[in-house]
């Protein structure tokens, strides 16, 4: 193999030299940073640096004589292409759960051998599971080795972007009040300290926003809260004097980011620290002294920020209107261009749709990388066209577009599938069954406190009737001008946990899909808000919730197979389009207005 043409084998060789120098036998590289973020600052994109795989989730293991990458079904096609020539074996796993990696390590290493990992980027839950499995096998887990620092000569530093305060008109609850709520939760749990490391929790709790990672308006930092103070660990220079003064007025003191571990080491003996094992790394846990107790529980802020206040819900509705208007402008341009015979590619779709959003007031950026998949590419749930690999749009088939924006008052995420030219009977049937799944869940009424995974089957039932299914979750939580993926609620096949209970104010996606590899894919996604639903018997059997559909954009009716839709489903679709028409018409004009009128006609 010519390593001059492919840099990855040389980088892996450097890893093996470092392993030998430290008497280690394997390096574990998760897709994570010290905050367990979904999108990573460049400094912590070590898995991509060592493997060349650019997908958002995977785990790399490098041994003295091999290397393997564990990726789930969303990334198999992408990983196979990107790993070609690297010498890294792709291990196809059904889910991103760490159990597959753990089993592999136990099966391939011997007693007395050592696994190196940077404890600062290894989730506490993952670390606990690793130790429980490796320990009995006599395999040592060493979290004190950051081998990337040794072999990455030009490793990026901490992101320098400034932090800013959320606009006052967008704030539903003051920072001081949120901190008071956290302290009350700490006291109730019998805890003297609480560490917040997840970046969306940090931004929400302090009413701050940043630009340290792609797509999510967050900043890199940790927050240590005690009964009488809150210490914010952030890189110097990111917070100006005025904001520093405002934070100090609310009892928040600034500390350098690299002093986090030292501060944890100084927590007094006899203290009890509240840690969320899903949102804190092993390295942070290790920094606490032996005389400090730890209580593992969900961050109080994670639960609080999932329940949007009335003011936040209003701003989110306005963001949906702006996003809907942008899509009307884009789709009008898109259909006119195709009618005129212009040649578009998936990249053109991404470019023009992003430009339409950017023209809207309050637009801050995309909420994730746009997925524009023509035909077979639409069957890859996490596909993204690049200048090196993309498809031109054809004349007959299905185009899947999954996109979203960040606005000053809200975060959007929407998927639509559009029929170009003629579509065949199978495509129509697939499209209609997915649409039925979206409708079925959207109109569901359910008891408050229902665990999100319990709702998953409702969206899948129309597909199951035909022996069909899809591999990803049906719905994920969405933040308030924050992360497009947030918890704790989700609608999926996950094993339910008490924290997944559905409460009023939560925003969740509804996005069933169907994918035929090498042919086409279908996914129809709206965001919905949990709202209280009055009952005939005045809640005699408990408070009920319903979904208010927030997303405002027509659903293409051309690929619908009418014989598969019931009358009540047609009624739901017509009422949805009437709402889209009413809300968006005042915000569009010209060709966009004409397009909206045409695409919201009743069927």
């Amino acid at each position: 193999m010519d390593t001059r043409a492919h840099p990855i084998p040389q980088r892996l060789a450097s890893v093996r030299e470092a392993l030998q120098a430290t008497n280690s036998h394997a390096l574990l590289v998760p897709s994570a940073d010290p905050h367990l973020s979904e999108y990573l600052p460049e400094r912590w994109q070590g898995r991509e640096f060592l493997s060349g795989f650019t997908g958002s989730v995977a785990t790399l293991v490098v041994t003295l004589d091999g290397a393997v990458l564990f990726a789930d079904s969303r990334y198999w096609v992408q990983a196979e292409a990107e790993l070609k020539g690297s010498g890294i074996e792709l291990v196809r796993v059904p889910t991103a759960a760490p159990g597959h990696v753990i089993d592999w390590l136990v099966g391939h290493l011997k007693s007395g051998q050592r696994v190196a990992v940077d404890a600062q980027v290894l989730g506490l839950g993952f670390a606990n599971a690793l130790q429980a499995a490796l320990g009995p096998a006599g395999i040592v887990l060493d979290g004190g080795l950051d081998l990337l620092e040794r072999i990455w000569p030009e490793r990026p530093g901490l992101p320098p972007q400034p932090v800013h305060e959320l606009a006052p008109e967008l704030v539903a609850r003051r920072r001081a009040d949120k901190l008071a709520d956290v302290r009350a939760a700490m006291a109730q749990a019998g805890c003297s300290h609480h560490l917040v490391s997840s970046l969306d929790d940090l931004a929400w709790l302090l009413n701050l926003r940043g630009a340290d990672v792609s797509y999510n308006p967050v900043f890199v930092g940790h927050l240590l809260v005690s009964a009488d103070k809150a210490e914010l660990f952030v890189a110097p220079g990111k917070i100006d004097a005025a904001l520093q003064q405002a934070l100090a007025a609310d009892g928040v003191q600034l500390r350098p980011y690299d002093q986090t571990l030292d501060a944890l080491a100084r927590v007094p003996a006899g203290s009890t620290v509240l840690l969320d094992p899903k949102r804190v790394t092993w390295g942070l846990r290790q920094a606490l002294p032996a005389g400090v107790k730890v209580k593992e529980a969900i961050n109080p802020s994670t639960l609080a920020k999932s329940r949007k206040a009335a003011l936040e819900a209003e701003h989110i509705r306005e963001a949906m209107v702006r996003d809907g208007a942008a899509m009307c402008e884009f789709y009008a341009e898109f259909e006119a261009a195709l009618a005129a015979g212009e040649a578009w590619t998936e990249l053109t779709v991404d470019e023009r749709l992003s430009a339409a959003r950017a023209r809207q007031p309050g637009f801050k950026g995309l909420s994730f990388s746009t997925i524009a998949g023509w035909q077979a590419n639409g069957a890859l749930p996490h596909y993204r066209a690049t200048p090196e690999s993309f498809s031109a749009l054809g004349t007959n088939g299905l185009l899947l577009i999954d996109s979203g924006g960040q606005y000053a008052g809200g975060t959007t995420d929407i998927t639509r599938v559009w029929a170009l030219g003629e579509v065949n009977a199978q495509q129509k049937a697939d499209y209609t069954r997915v649409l039925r799944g979206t409708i079925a869940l959207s109109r569901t009424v359910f008891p408050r406190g229902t665990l999100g995974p319990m709702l998953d089957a409702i969206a899948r039932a129309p597909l199951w009737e035909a022996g069909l299914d899809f591999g990803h979750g049906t719905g994920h939580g969405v933040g308030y001008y924050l992360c497009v993926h947030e918890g704790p609620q989700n609608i999926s096949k996950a094993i339910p946990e008490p924290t997944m209970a559905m409460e009023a104010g939560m925003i969740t996606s509804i996005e069933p899909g169907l994918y035929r590899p090498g042919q086409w894919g279908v996914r129809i996604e709206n965001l919905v808000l949990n709202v209280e639903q009055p009952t005939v018997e005045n809640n005699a059997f408990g408070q009920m919730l319903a979904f208010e559909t927030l997303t405002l954009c027509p659903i293409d009716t051309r690929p619908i197979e009418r014989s598969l839709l019931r009358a009540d489903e047609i009624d739901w679709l017509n009422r949805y389009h009437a709402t889209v028409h009413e809300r968006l018409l005042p915000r569009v004009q010209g060709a966009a207005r004409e397009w909206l009128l045409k695409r919201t006609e009743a069927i």
Side-chain angles (χ1 to χ4, degrees):
M1 181 182 296
D2 186 357
T3 58
R4 293 172 300 176
H6 201 307
I8 300 304
Q10 184 57 50
R11 293 173 185 173
L12 296 179
S14 298
V15 170
R16 294 184 178 108
E17 291 176 3
L19 286 172
Q20 290 176 328
T22 58
N23 193 31
S24 301
H25 303 83
L27 172 65
L28 173 64
V29 187
S31 300
D33 63 5
H35 312 276
L36 304 182
S37 307
E38 178 179 11
Y39 297 105
L40 309 180
E42 291 183 0
R43 176 171 179 77
W44 290 289
Q45 292 180 9
R47 184 264 299 153
E48 180 176 335
F49 173 77
L50 291 178
S51 69
F53 172 64
T54 61
S56 58
V57 179
T59 301
L60 176 69
V61 175
V62 183
T63 65
L64 294 174
D65 57 3
V68 294
L69 183 86
F70 298 83
D72 65 59
S73 59
R74 297 171 295 174
Y75 302 103
W76 290 347
V77 174
Q78 176 185 352
E80 186 173 3
E82 293 181 341
L83 295 179
K84 188 175 182 180
S86 69
I88 299 173
E89 175 191 355
L90 172 63
V91 177
R92 294 172 171 83
V93 293
T95 71
H100 311 290
V101 180
I102 296 172
D103 291 343
W104 190 95
L105 288 170
V106 171
H108 287 76
L109 297 181
K110 300 176 182 179
S111 179
Q113 292 189 324
R114 182 184 305 272
V115 177
V117 66
D118 179 6
Q120 303 307 318
V121 301
L122 185 66
L124 180 55
F126 193 174
N128 290 340
L130 273 168
Q131 290 177 307
L134 298 182
I139 302 169
V140 178
L141 182 66
D142 188 342
L145 296 175
D146 183 4
L147 298 187
L148 277 171
E149 199 65 28
R150 302 184 182 209
I151 66 169
W152 196 347
E154 298 180 356
R155 187 176 186 180
L158 292 172
Q161 289 81 358
V163 177
H164 65 273
E165 197 150 20
L166 195 63
E169 64 273 15
L170 301 178
V171 174
R173 190 161 178 77
R174 298 185 310 124
R175 175 168 49 235
D177 294 333
K178 290 181 178 180
L179 287 169
D181 291 344
V182 168
R183 290 189 173 103
M186 289 164 50
Q188 185 175 10
C191 296
S192 58
H193 296 73
H194 173 43
L195 179 66
V196 179
S197 288
S198 41
L199 301 187
D200 54 340
D201 282 292
L202 182 64
W204 179 89
L205 183 57
L206 298 180
N207 288 337
L208 302 176
R209 297 295 187 269
D212 284 356
V213 301
S214 301
Y215 310 117
N216 296 332
V218 297
F219 62 96
V220 171
H222 300 281
L223 183 71
L224 182 61
V225 183
S226 60
D228 57 353
K229 65 180 178 179
E231 296 176 281
L232 175 59
F233 300 89
V234 64
K238 292 177 69 68
I239 295 180
D240 63 28
L243 181 51
Q244 182 174 344
Q245 186 175 5
L247 288 167
D250 289 328
V252 180
Q253 305 170 9
L254 295 191
R255 299 285 185 267
Y257 181 82
D258 60 9
Q259 292 184 11
T260 306
L261 298 180
D262 291 339
L264 291 174
R266 293 195 302 271
V267 172
S271 301
T272 301
V273 181
L274 175 62
L275 295 180
D276 187 335
K278 293 184 177 180
R279 296 168 179 84
V280 166
T281 67
W282 185 33
L284 293 169
R285 172 64 181 87
Q286 286 182 312
L288 292 170
V292 171
K293 297 179 181 179
V294 170
K295 177 163 186 176
E296 295 187 1
I298 190 170
N299 287 341
S301 53
T302 300
L303 290 168
K305 74 179 171 60
S306 70
R307 303 162 188 169
K308 279 58 178 178
L311 174 69
E312 295 170 330
E314 279 305 307
H315 284 296
I316 291 167
R317 292 185 184 101
E318 171 60 24
M320 296 293 173
V321 171
R322 295 177 183 179
D323 204 57
M327 287 184 288
C328 287
E329 293 178 3
F330 163 74
Y331 286 119
E333 175 191 14
F334 172 60
E335 292 191 4
L338 294 187
E342 292 184 21
W344 278 39
T345 70
E346 296 164 336
L347 293 176
T348 317
V349 172
D350 187 353
E351 174 189 349
R352 302 289 180 86
L353 179 53
S354 298
R357 282 194 166 98
R359 292 191 291 268
Q360 287 295 316
F363 178 76
K364 299 296 184 180
L366 301 182
S367 57
F368 58 96
S369 56
T370 299
I371 298 170
W374 168 248
Q375 284 288 85
N377 292 338
L380 305 174
H382 284 250
Y383 171 79
R384 184 187 181 187
T386 66
E388 296 75 30
S389 178
F390 65 91
S391 292
L393 304 188
T395 54
N396 297 297
L398 298 176
L399 171 65
L400 184 151
I401 305 177
D402 188 350
S403 64
Q406 293 283 9
Y407 298 84
T411 303
T412 72
D413 181 3
I414 172 176
T415 308
R416 292 292 185 264
V417 173
W418 301 96
L420 305 189
E422 297 295 325
V423 293
N424 62 43
Q426 185 64 71
Q427 290 172 324
K428 287 185 175 182
D430 289 350
Y431 181 90
T432 306
R433 288 189 172 100
V434 171
L435 175 58
R436 289 188 62 211
T438 302
I439 294 172
L441 187 51
S442 299
R443 59 193 294 199
T444 297
V445 175
F446 52 95
R448 175 190 171 194
T450 296
L451 302 180
M454 294 176 64
L455 301 173
D456 182 71
I458 297 173
R460 296 179 189 268
L463 293 162
W464 288 349
E465 290 174 359
L468 307 170
D469 201 4
F470 54 96
H472 56 74
T474 295
H476 56 82
V478 178
Y480 172 59
Y481 179 35
L482 265 176
C483 298
V484 75
H485 298 138
E486 77 167 20
Q489 79 278 18
N490 74 75
I491 302 172
S492 70
K493 293 182 178 180
I495 298 174
E497 298 179 6
T499 57
M500 297 176 182
M502 298 292 268
E503 299 286 349
M506 289 180 168
I507 293 177
T508 315
S509 68
I510 294 178
E511 48 181 310
L514 180 60
Y515 310 97
R516 296 189 183 273
Q519 299 183 68
W520 60 78
V522 179
R523 185 166 64 253
I524 300 174
E525 175 188 17
N526 288 330
L527 300 188
V528 295
L529 172 69
N530 291 359
V531 295
E532 294 184 0
Q533 174 71 23
T535 66
V536 175
E537 299 190 34
N538 296 318
N539 299 333
F541 292 86
Q543 175 65 59
M544 304 297 285
L545 299 177
F547 291 126
E548 173 193 337
T549 299
L550 297 170
T551 303
L552 298 170
C553 181
I555 295 170
D556 196 356
T557 58
R558 293 169 296 181
I560 289 176
E561 173 51 61
R562 290 286 298 272
S563 65
L564 294 178
L565 278 185
R566 301 191 308 263
D568 59 304
E569 294 168 329
I570 293 174
D571 178 66
W572 183 94
L573 183 60
N574 286 337
R575 285 187 289 108
Y576 172 69
H577 279 154
T579 299
V580 172
H581 174 281
E582 177 185 357
R583 297 284 304 282
L584 296 187
L585 198 61
R587 303 295 186 97
V588 294
Q589 55 188 350
R593 180 185 179 91
E594 295 304 313
W595 182 87
L596 174 65
L597 292 171
K598 182 178 181 180
R599 293 287 169 239
T600 54
E601 291 178 352
I603 63 172

